[in-house]
Amino acid sequence: MKAQWFTSVEDIGQDLWNKAIGETNSPFAQFAFHHALEKSQSIGDGTGWYPEYLLVMDNDDTPLAIAPTYLKTHSQGEFVFDWAWADAFQRYGFRYYPKRVWAVPFSPVTGIRLFSHLDPKGEDAAFVHLYQTVADVLTQANQQREFSSWHLLFTKPEHAAVLRQDGEYLERISCQFHWFNRNYRDMTDYFAHFSSRKRKAARKEREKVAAQGVTLKRKLGSELSPADIDFFYLCYQSTYAKRGQQGYLTRDFFAQLAENMGEQILLVQAYRKEETGENAIAASWCFFDDHSLYGRYWGCMEEVDCLHFEACYYQGIEFCLEKGLQHFDPGTQGEHKIARGFEPVFSHSIHHIAHEGFRDAIARFCEEEAQAVREYHQDTHALLPFKES
């Protein structure tokens, strides 16, 4: 088995990339997704995200898998927060950056992080152990360049388990809220599984949006016009502007995705009815594959009571039911998702810290944090809206 580093997807080429990933249909594994990040300048020079893709091949140069890694000069856009670790390194006179992350940029979505035709869904036991091989390559590469650490973010639990067995790697867990399709026929059937009080509350939320003169439409990325993308991007940036920040991604990123992988993109648009017609006021951007919907970006130009719940959650659930999707990952954090039927799940990350002393200290932190996360995970189950079985 051999490995080769590339600093651009174009250096790998779409043909070789597609041969490596085979039938892997996660939107975050596609050449078009990573190419759009680079070509739109959402990553690269000046962004603090510098790609180094690892291509794994057999001895006959047949591509086996691709691991997306990035050299980082900060910890923004990762959603597994290690600012305190960086501060500790600095206080003791050590350099934390650059570090390496093995992740999908700006995407706190649990999934495969080793894209391969050998096992497109990353479930085969033999394939899972390829993660160990890649981890060893990353560790050796970091040692050669004296990097402080590498971080595998939002990996599947079975993949984390393989690396967890090696005491050299640290596991960190957090809690997200995901929706699961329990063979619901439609929204009426779904709400029928809520307790009476929670069912009335959910229906009132949807009715309240309609009563305020707001309607919603769903479009695939392939159906989007330049005006649709312009308005969505305005909404996207408005979300960050409210916090005094700027969004990481450029408009061109979204335009390229709509053009090149539009059949895996869903845009939910909200309109207010006015005398002159419909006026767009909010939008939510999602990705999907044949199993899951992934809610990623949202923004509004007008505050409307309950519109966030409708555009980001209920519309996504309806889409899943229509398409037969089994799972909806709406993004990080947000206890408000629980009342809409999103269940607590663990997310997993793996970390390699080169410095032995810091590794021991961070290991203790991860253990203490994990205990608190498990307790929180258990407590949130009591808040779910479903009837007791």
Side-chain angles (χ1 to χ4, degrees):
M1 193 172 296
K2 300 185 296 185
Q4 185 175 354
W5 293 100
F6 295 86
T7 57
S8 170
V9 292
E10 290 187 341
D11 291 341
I12 299 175
Q14 187 166 3
D15 288 345
L16 189 58
W17 184 288
N18 289 341
K19 287 179 182 177
I21 74 170
E23 297 180 358
T24 303
N25 68 355
S26 165
F28 309 106
Q30 303 309 310
F31 179 89
F33 181 89
H34 295 272
H35 188 253
L37 283 170
E38 287 187 26
K39 293 296 288 182
S40 68
Q41 299 182 322
S42 297
I43 61 173
D45 290 344
T47 68
W49 289 83
Y50 301 94
E52 289 195 350
Y53 308 101
L54 183 66
L55 175 64
V56 181
M57 300 167 287
D58 65 16
N59 290 329
D60 295 324
D61 290 335
T62 299
L64 301 179
I66 292 173
T69 84
Y70 301 83
L71 304 188
K72 293 292 305 297
T73 57
H74 54 65
S75 292
Q76 297 171 356
E78 298 172 19
F79 303 95
V80 178
F81 304 110
D82 62 351
W83 301 103
W85 302 2
D87 289 343
F89 268 70
Q90 185 176 7
R91 285 198 304 271
Y92 284 90
F94 292 89
R95 186 183 66 177
Y96 191 67
Y97 304 109
K99 63 176 184 177
R100 187 187 302 276
V101 296
W102 178 4
V104 177
F106 318 114
S107 300
V109 174
T110 292
I112 54 173
R113 294 295 177 264
L114 191 56
F115 314 142
S116 175
H117 66 89
L118 298 177
D119 184 19
K121 296 187 182 297
E123 297 172 349
D124 180 75
F127 169 75
V128 167
H129 284 277
L130 189 56
Y131 273 77
Q132 181 67 64
T133 300
V134 172
D136 292 341
V137 172
L138 298 191
T139 299
Q140 293 169 10
N142 272 18
Q143 288 173 346
Q144 292 171 1
R145 296 161 78 175
E146 298 183 343
F147 291 162
S148 69
S149 54
W150 62 256
H151 310 264
L152 170 58
L153 307 183
F154 296 99
T155 189
K156 296 179 71 172
E158 59 268 34
H159 302 162
V162 171
L163 299 180
R164 185 175 61 231
Q165 297 169 5
D166 188 329
E168 189 175 355
Y169 303 113
L170 309 180
E171 182 180 24
R172 194 174 181 188
I173 63 172
S174 59
C175 187
Q176 295 183 330
F177 300 96
H178 294 192
W179 179 86
F180 298 92
N181 190 346
R182 312 293 188 193
N183 297 317
Y184 305 118
R185 295 187 300 275
D186 50 30
M187 290 298 285
T188 299
D189 182 38
Y190 173 57
F191 286 141
H193 288 75
F194 283 28
S195 67
S196 176
R197 182 172 62 85
K198 297 293 180 67
R199 180 169 59 250
K200 290 178 181 178
R203 286 175 172 168
K204 282 184 178 179
E205 286 179 340
R206 306 201 76 186
E207 292 167 357
K208 187 177 291 186
V209 172
Q212 294 173 93
V214 176
T215 58
L216 290 103
K217 298 179 181 179
R218 297 195 291 267
K219 291 184 179 180
L220 294 180
S222 55
E223 301 170 328
L224 300 182
S225 67
D228 289 327
I229 296 173
D230 285 342
F231 179 72
F232 163 74
Y233 193 66
L234 185 64
C235 291
Y236 165 74
Q237 287 292 0
S238 74
T239 299
Y240 286 87
K242 291 171 185 176
R243 303 194 295 266
Q245 301 172 352
Q246 183 173 346
Y248 301 113
L249 300 165
T250 66
R251 181 200 178 279
D252 194 37
F253 170 72
F254 296 103
Q256 289 188 44
L257 291 184
E259 179 179 356
N260 297 316
M261 51 185 298
E263 296 305 312
Q264 289 191 280
I265 292 166
L266 169 70
L267 185 70
V268 178
Q269 299 168 308
Y271 298 86
R272 182 183 290 283
K273 294 179 181 178
E274 298 179 351
E275 292 183 1
T276 56
E278 293 182 324
N279 182 41
I281 61 172
S284 174
W285 182 288
C286 305
F287 297 90
F288 65 95
D289 52 33
D290 59 1
H291 181 269
S292 299
L293 177 70
Y294 310 94
R296 291 305 306 117
Y297 313 107
W298 142 267
C300 64
M301 304 310 298
E302 179 184 337
E303 298 293 339
V304 175
D305 193 17
C306 296
L307 178 56
H308 178 255
F309 304 144
E310 179 65 32
C312 295
Y313 308 136
Y314 294 133
Q315 287 290 318
I317 292 172
E318 269 193 346
F319 182 79
C320 287
L321 295 176
E322 289 178 3
K323 298 295 184 180
L325 304 183
Q326 300 302 304
H327 168 242
F328 178 12
D329 173 354
T332 59
Q333 305 172 338
E335 292 181 359
H336 54 275
K337 296 168 185 161
I338 303 172
R340 284 90 207 169
F342 291 81
E343 305 174 26
V345 300
F346 292 116
S347 61
H348 302 258
S349 60
I350 295 292
H351 307 266
H352 179 266
I353 310 297
H355 189 284
E356 186 174 346
F358 280 109
R359 186 190 312 157
D360 291 343
I362 291 173
R364 291 192 295 271
F365 165 81
C366 290
E367 291 173 1
E368 294 172 0
E369 182 187 51
Q371 182 58 37
V373 170
R374 292 188 186 98
E375 292 174 0
Y376 173 76
H377 179 276
Q378 184 63 36
D379 291 343
T380 54
H381 273 280
L383 304 176
L384 288 168
F386 302 111
K387 300 175 184 176
E388 294 186 7
S389 56

